Amino acid sequence: MDTLIPAELTALAARVIAENKAAGRMVALAESCTGGLVTAALTEIAGSSAVVERGFVTYSNEAKHEMLGVSTDLIDTFGAVSVAVAWSMAQGALKHSRADVAVAITGIAGPDGGTEQKPVGTVVFARAERGEDPEAVVAELKVFETAKTRAEVRLQAALVALELLLP
């Protein structure tokens, strides 16, 4: 297959498209540190329009607030790279789409921007499903310590996000 996207990403994206299509589910993405990479991988697959409802690239805090309704107080209190913000991003993606499931990704891809508490490679993921209790948070913080470059952090984050989209 002729693609700009790494093979392991397109292979998993193809599985996400096939399995969600079979389940009759539409998906939405709220991406920060991946900058649309997950949505790009999904739309690389023929037939993806049956599954991909929309993708939000909310790189800045202002975009998270304006496009997804993430509270500025939440960002100020916990930081953009936090379970609280990722969860709010996923909820916002559901609210502002017709998708059945939404996954949010926010993190520090590097090479700068890390702190002792949140080193480069820290990425937070959240998944929200329509009809589920919005208080039942499905979110996880991961630190990709083996990722040596910005590209590796973003690739690992995209793979995790795709896994979260599987039914």
Side-chain angles (χ1 to χ4, degrees):
M1 184 158 103
D2 186 29
T3 176
L4 294 169
I5 310 291
E8 63 186 313
L9 209 51
T10 51
L12 184 52
R15 204 177 131 209
V16 168
I17 295 297
E19 291 185 23
N20 279 288
K21 189 173 183 179
R25 291 194 338 168
M26 296 287 286
V27 305
L29 279 300
E31 300 186 64
S32 185
C33 67
T34 47
L37 181 60
V38 181
T39 306
L42 289 169
T43 58
E44 196 73 15
I45 309 305
S48 59
S49 59
V51 172
V52 178
E53 209 281 326
R54 70 186 68 189
F56 299 90
V57 177
T58 55
Y59 208 69
S60 70
N61 291 341
E62 291 78 13
K64 289 172 183 65
H65 174 69
E66 292 167 12
M67 295 172 72
L68 300 172
V70 177
S71 156
T72 52
D73 288 346
L74 205 62
I75 295 169
D76 292 345
T77 303
F78 298 101
V81 181
S82 64
V83 165
V85 169
W87 179 243
S88 185
M89 288 170 65
Q91 290 292 325
L94 267 189
K95 183 180 178 185
H96 297 284
S97 74
R98 293 183 303 279
D100 302 296
V101 61
V103 167
I105 311 108
T106 182
I108 305 161
D112 304 318
T115 64
E116 203 171 297
Q117 293 78 26
K118 295 178 185 176
V120 168
T122 301
V123 183
V124 186
F125 304 88
R127 184 184 74 235
E129 293 194 42
R130 194 166 300 286
E132 283 192 347
D133 179 1
E135 300 301 310
V137 177
V138 181
E140 180 179 12
L141 183 148
K142 288 183 175 286
V143 180
F144 297 107
E145 294 173 354
T146 58
K148 301 294 181 228
T149 65
R150 181 177 179 81
E152 287 175 14
V153 170
R154 294 177 76 224
L155 174 60
Q156 292 307 313
L159 289 166
V160 169
L162 286 171
E163 288 281 346
L164 287 171
L165 285 171
L166 290 169

